[in-house]
DNA sequence: ATTCTGACGTGGG
DNA sequence: CCCCACGCCAGAA
């Protein structure tokens, strides 16, 4: 009880860890998958706390337009883009090219969420 | 307690 | 396609 917040963070990380190599998803999709479709902003907040955790591929999470909105929170100026391009994803002007082709939706590709 | 902000999303023009 | 206003919710000042 009343630990929903902590689970929320863990839930977000567990989903992000399952994003396949070379694919990306959005904050909103993650929020929707874990049962809080209106807390997409909190997903971003959770990612902010994932800085310490190296198991979480935060670079594979972008906004619904395919923009690298969190890029500024990575080290250096272009780390996020570098990581994505190292996985074969093309990026131009902070935006993922051929977005629909590399987009991976947990709601569709994972079994129903259960805690 | 109140106000503002933010790694967002949707709807309307 | 772009831009704007609004809704959301947790944390900081």
């Amino acid at each position: 009880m009343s630990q929903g917040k902590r689970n929320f963070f863990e839930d977000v990380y567990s989903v992000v860890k399952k994003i396949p190599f070379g694919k990306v998803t959005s904050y909103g999709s993650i929020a929707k998958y874990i049962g809080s479709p209106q807390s997409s902003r909190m997903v971003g907040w959770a990612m902010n706390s994932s800085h310490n955790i190296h198991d979480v591929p935060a670079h594979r999470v972008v906004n619904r337009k395919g923009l690298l909105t969190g890029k500024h929170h990575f080290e250096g100026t272009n780390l996020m883009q570098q990581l994505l391009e190292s996985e074969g994803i093309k990026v131009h002007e902070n935006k993922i090219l051929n977005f629909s082709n590399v987009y991976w939706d947990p709601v569709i590709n994972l079994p129903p969420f259960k805690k």
Side-chain angles (χ1 to χ4, degrees):
Chain A
M1 31 254 207
S2 78
Q3 46 178 205
K5 179 179 43 179
R6 180 178 181 173
N7 279 334
F8 182 84
F9 277 64
E10 290 182 8
D11 293 345
V12 171
Y13 300 150
S14 72
V15 178
V16 176
K17 288 178 184 174
K18 290 172 184 166
I19 304 174
F21 183 94
K23 295 286 183 177
V24 300
T25 193
S26 68
Y27 304 94
S29 294
I30 294 172
K32 189 175 185 180
Y33 178 68
I34 63 180
S36 302
Q38 298 176 317
S39 300
S40 48
R41 300 181 100 160
M42 293 303 99
V43 173
W45 215 253
M47 301 311 292
N48 204 13
S49 299
S50 79
H51 245 260
N52 295 319
I53 314 173
H54 284 284
D55 298 5
V56 181
H59 61 283
R60 295 185 188 144
V61 185
V62 299
N63 77 347
R64 69 138 181 133
K65 307 172 191 167
L67 278 171
L68 280 53
T69 48
K71 143 179 201 177
H72 228 263
H73 292 260
F74 284 77
E75 294 177 10
T77 56
N78 245 19
L79 180 58
M80 186 177 187
Q81 178 169 343
Q82 282 184 329
L83 290 171
L84 289 172
E85 292 185 329
S86 72
E87 300 190 6
I89 297 174
K90 312 291 189 194
V91 178
H92 178 62
E93 296 290 311
N94 295 337
K95 185 179 177 184
I96 293 180
L97 301 179
N98 207 356
F99 185 51
S100 58
N101 202 40
V102 296
Y103 180 69
W104 176 88
D105 190 347
V107 178
I108 297 175
N109 298 284
L110 288 182
F113 178 76
K114 31 188 346 183
K115 37 178 176 175

